[in-house]
Amino acid sequence: MHVLVSPGRFDRPTTPAPGASADSGWAALGAPEVARAIADGWRDARPADRVELLPLNDGGPGLIDVLRAARGGELAAVTVPDAGGVPVPSAVLVLTEDSGSRTAYVDGSVALSGSAPVDRSSSAGLGELVRAAVDTGAERVVVGTGPRRVTAHDGGWGLLRALIGAGDLPERGLGAPLPSMADRIAALQEELRGRDLVLLGTHDLALLGLNGASAALVDAGRATAEESQAVERRMADLVATLTAAAGAGRVDLLATTHAHGHGRDDGHAHRPDSVAQVGAGAALGRPAAAASRTTTRPAVAPGSGAGGGAAFVLGLLGARRVDGAAWVADAVRLADRVESADLVVTGAGVLDAAALEEGVVPAVSGAALPLGVPLIALAAQVRTGRRDWGAAGVAGAFGVIEQPGQLADWQAGPAAALRARIPRIARTWSR
């Protein structure tokens, strides 16, 4: 039997397991570690089965590792500052597509993390990474902005400042509009013209609004309600200044697309050549009136709060937002691997309604369901019922932490706990 193991990373949940405190130390596992633990456990019970590993990613932490393991490529080491200004190692991965075009990938997770108070954090490290990717000459630049919660929260100002390369601009945002800002952004848009700039969406958090990124600082314990409101006001001022300066070149991040186009046919197949001259909505085929309405407030668009607002600025520069997990699944040729498998095993840290709607699990289901290949999902904890995961194309769902006492085993060694859970599942599903 041929078993394809394609899980995502097992993140620490934003809400604790039942019976556990919020700081209970729930350990996280990267996608490659998850895949190895599942494969080892499967082979413990069914050594004759062929177990193939293809870990996946949604555009968050571990993006480069997953892509490089599946596709190889040229890796260029880059040192950039994290959100607190501390130098950290990072990298740009350049892949050659079937068409001969090249795609440069950056994972902003490390550059956007670190330790810094909200008002001293910066996305400059991601800007330096994107600049390094652009300087490779690749026709497409794909940007991952990390998980939902990152340290950087500057509305993307640090990223923009790093890309412009203007040392005369203030480090912490604009106190007042600069007459030259529109020209500087226009020059950067012109430099990026003809290059496909892609933002991997991992969540729908907006930059502004009652449920936006500033409000989320309260849930993360990084700000009081009053401090969050002050941050929101600063972000709104910055957004107004940058949106006005960007003019017609800004892009509507509401227009999330699932078209991937990794260059198998044409390296620029999904890039509107006129995006810098027309409203993004019109460029994407919507009526001009609708385009005008949806591009006036790009900071409330779903996903614009990714990377503490880095996604908002990338949108102003012409980035198109795609489903991160679906993009990566296509990039690693998941569908080709599924076609030859008898069973597919995927997984997420917590299998709940959100995990069934966005991320790795629906991306794998989207590849397996049309081919009639059964799919089972594993998780540290399952928080949804058969009706929900069945409707999502999952034939079976299994958790490691099924009783409060099992949380201690997971904390002591998550990979070992996951591996120990697999043999019983393998004996049930292997044939």
Side-chain angles (χ1 to χ4, degrees):
M1 182 174 181
H2 180 191
V3 180
L4 177 64
V5 179
S6 293
R9 64 186 181 277
F10 277 25
D11 285 332
R12 180 174 177 170
T14 54
T15 56
S21 62
D23 59 351
S24 58
W26 180 309
L29 282 176
E33 297 173 283
V34 173
R36 284 193 296 270
I38 294 173
D40 290 344
W42 198 280
R43 293 177 181 127
D44 289 341
R46 289 291 186 264
D49 286 352
R50 176 190 169 197
V51 183
E52 181 183 7
L53 279 64
L54 187 67
L56 297 177
N57 188 274
D58 60 358
L63 172 66
I64 299 300
D65 292 339
V66 164
L67 289 168
R68 194 180 185 205
R71 297 276 305 278
E74 306 168 24
L75 191 68
V78 184
T79 299
V80 300
D82 69 10
V86 177
V88 291
S90 192
V92 175
L93 178 67
V94 180
L95 301 180
T96 300
E97 309 297 354
D98 294 346
S99 66
S101 65
R102 298 195 306 157
T103 302
Y105 284 88
V106 299
D107 176 2
S109 302
V110 174
L112 296 169
S113 64
S115 178
V118 174
D119 61 354
R120 302 298 294 174
S121 64
S122 174
S123 59
L126 178 58
E128 293 185 18
L129 268 178
V130 174
R131 169 53 66 190
V134 169
D135 289 347
T136 66
E139 291 87 347
R140 177 180 291 121
V141 173
V142 181
V143 183
T145 55
R148 184 181 183 91
R149 289 182 178 176
V150 297
T151 302
H153 190 90
D154 65 349
W157 172 251
L159 178 145
L160 180 62
R161 186 172 178 270
L163 283 175
I164 291 176
D168 60 316
L169 294 177
E171 290 189 21
R172 304 299 171 189
L174 290 172
L178 293 178
S180 63
M181 206 58 220
D183 291 339
R184 295 185 186 198
I185 292 178
L188 183 55
Q189 290 172 332
E190 182 62 28
E191 178 189 0
L192 296 174
R193 183 193 299 277
R195 196 180 312 253
D196 191 9
L197 186 58
V198 179
L199 172 66
L200 299 183
T202 61
H203 57 77
D204 287 337
L205 186 68
L207 176 55
L208 299 179
L210 292 175
N211 297 309
S214 296
L217 295 171
V218 179
D219 294 335
R222 298 187 62 204
T224 65
E226 293 76 13
E227 291 168 339
S228 170
Q229 291 170 7
V231 173
E232 178 85 351
R233 288 192 291 271
R234 290 199 303 270
M235 292 298 102
D237 290 343
L238 178 65
V239 163
T241 299
L242 295 184
T243 301
R250 59 185 179 269
V251 165
D252 175 17
L253 284 176
L254 284 166
T256 301
T257 174
H258 293 269
H260 308 140
H262 291 98
R264 298 188 188 189
D265 299 310
D266 180 355
H268 298 282
H270 301 283
R271 173 73 171 181
D273 291 335
S274 57
V275 73
Q277 283 87 31
V278 299
L284 292 168
R286 291 193 299 278
S292 176
R293 288 194 300 271
T294 56
T295 56
T296 53
R297 299 196 65 196
V300 298
S304 59
F312 158 71
V313 166
L314 289 169
L316 295 184
L317 298 177
R320 58 188 176 102
R321 181 174 178 265
V322 301
D323 182 298
W327 179 283
V328 174
D330 194 20
V332 301
R333 314 300 197 241
L334 173 65
D336 295 342
R337 306 286 189 93
V338 169
E339 191 171 9
S340 62
D342 300 305
L343 174 70
V344 180
V345 182
T346 190
V350 174
L351 191 66
D352 56 10
L356 293 174
E357 292 174 359
E358 58 185 26
V360 167
V361 174
V364 179
S365 176
L369 197 59
L371 297 172
V373 180
L375 170 69
I376 62 174
L378 303 174
Q381 191 169 66
V382 176
R383 298 184 184 177
T384 187
R386 179 186 296 270
R387 176 182 296 179
D388 293 331
W389 50 255
V394 176
F398 307 93
V400 177
I401 305 170
E402 297 180 320
Q403 301 175 10
Q406 294 172 326
L407 178 60
D409 294 335
W410 182 265
Q411 292 170 328
L418 178 57
R419 178 175 179 171
R421 180 70 174 90
I422 303 303
R424 183 177 177 182
I425 299 170
R427 286 190 288 269
T428 301
W429 286 87
S430 180
R431 53 179 172 77

